[in-house]
DNA sequence: CTGTATCCTGCCGGATACTG
DNA sequence: CAGTATCCGGCAGGATACAG
């Protein structure tokens, strides 16, 4: 927990050995892969069904080849996505979630659906916030 | 989504009027505030209790004043965080979650705790991935 | 204490071209 | 189709100084 910490015990936070609130912790990196700009959308897309590279690219609107490639590599490395290349011609590669990937994506979709469903409230709050500023 | 779309009906995706998978959609922005580098950690920190600016700064290890300030403004504007300034001297400002903020933060913490708890698996997967590459 | 204002750098990420 | 390689501009975000 930073410089205020003198021993291994914290002030009540950081109970987990992988406490994401701590700066140098691998879970922070994984969480950023998962919640990052493209990671979350990629996991969400794969939750419904396995997809091929370009299918994924179309589904995740706006992602570039480069970023999709990077994102998939990171997720594969973290054990959330499975890559299956078929030695056909033309080449075909399928991506799907691992068991852990499905669990993570499930939580993520809970979050996404909540936010989508409450957007009217959010938009309303924004309107009020902005109105209170211009005066 | 996108150019393949000719009418208002989709191919089964994007049922919500705020489908986050679509590029131009306000929910994407909000989701990025929530899942962004500091947004998620900030919401997570505030879930346990209301906090003051510098308490928050210490809790969210590594955040700079500037980014914390920006993050809080974005979350306040989206109606997830409530800012209460007391006209005391020295000044004191408390931040806490709104009802909607609590719901969002709850889902986020589910995700965080899942990831933290499964880090051994993630680390293991990384080890295998890296080992398979160096040859 | 609670922030803004400014400067500056790194790297995120888009465009393009190329390979198998 | 499924990607890598390279270039490069913009902006996220850190450091610092300053204000109320």
């Amino acid at each position: 927990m930073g410089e205020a910490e003198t021993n291994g015990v914290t002030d009540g936070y950081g109970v987990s050995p992988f406490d994401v609130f701590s700066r140098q912790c691998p879970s922070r990196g994984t969480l950023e892969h998962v919640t990052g700009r493209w990671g979350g959308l990629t996991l969400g897309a794969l939750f419904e069904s396995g997809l091929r590279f370009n299918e994924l690219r179309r589904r995740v609107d706006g992602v570039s080849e480069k970023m999709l490639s990077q994102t998939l590599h990171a997720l594969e490395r973290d054990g959330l996505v499975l890559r299956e290349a078929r030695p056909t011609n033309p080449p075909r590669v399928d991506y799907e979630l691992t068991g852990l990937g499905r669990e993570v994506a499930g939580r993520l979709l809970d979050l996404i659906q909540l936010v989508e469903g409450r957007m009217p409230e959010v938009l309303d709050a924004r309107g009020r916030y902005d109105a209170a500023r211009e005066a």
Side-chain angles (χ1 to χ4, degrees), chain A:
Chain A
M1 306 297 298
E3 61 287 342
E5 212 53 51
T6 54
N7 53 24
V9 179
T10 72
D11 52 3
Y13 300 126
V15 174
S16 160
F18 293 114
D19 181 12
V20 75
F21 285 97
S22 159
R23 190 169 356 192
Q24 283 116 338
C25 173
S27 68
R28 186 115 135 201
T30 297
L31 194 69
E32 279 171 17
H33 295 157
V34 167
T35 61
R37 181 140 176 230
W38 304 117
L41 296 173
T42 302
L43 288 175
L46 287 175
F47 188 78
E48 294 155 349
S49 74
L51 290 173
R52 302 171 56 181
F53 189 82
N54 277 333
E55 289 174 339
L56 218 33
R57 196 152 139 49
R58 279 186 294 272
R59 178 74 177 115
V60 181
D61 191 23
V63 70
S64 67
E65 287 186 357
K66 178 185 166 185
M67 293 318 297
L68 182 57
S69 181
Q70 279 187 17
T71 301
L72 285 169
H73 279 308
L75 294 176
E76 187 193 356
R77 191 167 104 99
D78 284 347
L80 303 178
V81 161
L82 205 63
R83 193 191 114 108
E84 282 176 301
R86 330 248 173 185
T88 60
N89 189 316
R92 174 190 178 102
V93 182
D94 285 282
Y95 292 93
E96 56 187 73
L97 297 183
T98 64
L100 181 54
R102 286 197 72 76
E103 292 189 60
V104 170
R107 309 288 175 111
L108 208 45
L109 283 174
D110 283 348
L111 178 63
I112 289 176
Q113 281 159 13
L114 175 64
V115 170
E116 283 185 359
R118 303 297 210 95
M119 276 312 286
E121 290 176 53
V122 170
L123 263 20
D124 198 54
R126 281 194 196 167
R128 271 180 279 111
Y129 182 92
D130 292 344
R133 298 235 136 195
E134 61 183 53

